[in-house]
């Protein structure tokens, strides 16, 4: 990733500062859109109800709670797409699929129906990018900024480093777009690889 950031200086933001900074920039990114790269195979989702049900071994309840979010997602994504902002996510998946990934892809499958485009890429396909270390977690906001997201060892969000140099943002967006184009749409991946899986374990 050295070639993307090229020694550029980023601004470190603690979690409390990252969220408002992100949201303030998000609504002005326009047609260049939102591009996210997810590499980790497990996160801590805090007090999110479906996550808590999943962690508690209540798989069917966790899925019902996802379904109950449809009106909220319809409103949220309707506002975003109505503003001309495209949403794109690359989800890297290792084998065997972790319980967390199985759970998350059920959420992304629902979000996809309301406008978030998700591309799934098997981990072996990104090996050429990971000779030194795994790909970072990235959020690219149009030409505004790119955030390198940080997490604690337990997967709890821990702020981000923000880069706003145009060349760094462009290179980051180009990387995520390249990976996105190399993956498979969740629309076909989910029914074939995820929908028929059994009840997962409760480990993250």
């Amino acid at each position: 990733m050295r070639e993307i950031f090229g020694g550029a200086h980023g601004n470190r933001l603690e979690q409390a500062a990252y969220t408002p900074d992100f949201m303030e920039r998000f609504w002005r990114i326009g047609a260049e859109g939102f591009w996210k790269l997810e590499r980790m195979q497990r996160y801590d989702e805090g007090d999110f109800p479906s996550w808590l049900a999943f962690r508690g071994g209540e798989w069917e309840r966790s899925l019902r709670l996802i379904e109950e979010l449809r009106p909220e997602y319809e409103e949220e994504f309707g506002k975003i797409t109505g503003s001309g902002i495209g949403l794109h996510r690359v989800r890297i998946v290792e084998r065997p699929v972790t319980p967390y990934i199985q759970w998350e892809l059920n959420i992304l499958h629902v979000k996809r129906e309301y406008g978030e485009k998700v591309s799934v890429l098997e981990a072996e396909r990104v090996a050429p990018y990971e000779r030194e270390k795994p790909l970072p977690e990235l959020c690219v906001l149009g030409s505004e900024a790119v955030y390198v997201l940080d997490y604690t060892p337990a997967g709890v969000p821990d702020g981000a480093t923000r880069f706003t140099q145009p060349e760094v943002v462009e290179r980051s967006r180009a990387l995520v777009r390249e990976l996105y184009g190399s993956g498979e749409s969740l629309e076909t991946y989910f029914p074939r690889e995820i929908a028929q899986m059994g009840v997962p374990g409760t480990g993250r």
Side-chain angles (χ1 to χ4, degrees), residues 1 5 37-39 130 133-138 148-149 175:
M1 292 296 100
F5 297 100
L37 171 61
E38 289 187 318
R39 179 60 180 91
E130 299 188 324
K133 58 183 179 180
L135 286 165
E137 306 276 317
L138 297 178
V148 180
L149 305 179
L175 170 65

Side-chain angles (χ1 to χ4, degrees), residues 43-60:
Y43 305 86
D44 188 322
E45 299 287 353
D47 60 357
F48 187 58
S50 177
W51 158 255
L52 293 176
F54 160 60
R55 288 299 312 275
E58 300 177 274
W59 178 243
E60 294 302 324

Side-chain angles (χ1 to χ4, degrees), residues 78-200:
K79 181 180 178 182
I80 293 170
T81 56
S83 298
I85 299 172
L87 301 172
H88 307 83
R89 182 189 304 253
V90 178
R91 168 28 90 187
I92 308 298
V93 175
E94 294 181 1
R95 295 289 184 172
V97 174
T98 66
Y100 176 90
I101 294 295
Q102 183 181 349
W103 171 80
E104 184 196 36
L105 289 181
N106 274 275
I107 293 178
L108 296 183
H109 180 62
V110 171
K111 287 185 174 183
R112 183 196 61 80
E113 296 181 32
Y114 297 101
E116 181 168 2
K117 298 177 181 179
V118 182
S119 180
V120 180
L121 199 57
E122 299 281 345
E124 63 184 25
R125 299 278 303 280
V126 300
Y129 299 91
E130 299 188 324
R131 292 189 176 94
E132 296 180 3
K133 58 183 179 180
L135 286 165
E137 306 276 317
L138 297 178
C139 277
V140 186
L141 298 185
S143 58
E144 272 277 326
V146 55
Y147 299 90
V148 180
L149 305 179
D150 294 320
Y151 295 85
T152 70
V156 177
D158 191 29
T161 301
R162 183 192 66 213
F163 296 84
T164 56
Q165 299 89 335
E167 65 278 10
V168 175
V169 178
E170 173 56 34
R171 288 194 294 262
S172 299
R173 186 170 64 248
L175 170 65
V176 182
R177 290 183 66 174
E178 178 184 342
L179 295 175
Y180 181 90
S182 299
E184 178 181 355
S185 170
L186 186 61
E187 183 176 7
T188 56
Y189 183 90
F190 183 86
R192 187 186 70 247
E193 301 290 344
I194 302 299
Q196 305 306 317
M197 293 180 69
V199 175

Side-chain angles (χ1 to χ4, degrees), residues 20-39:
D21 187 88
F22 175 95
M23 294 308 302
E24 191 271 331
R25 295 171 184 273
F26 179 86
W27 290 106
R28 61 180 187 235
I29 60 178
E32 290 180 324
F34 167 85
W35 296 84
K36 184 169 188 180
L37 171 61
E38 289 187 318
R39 179 60 180 91

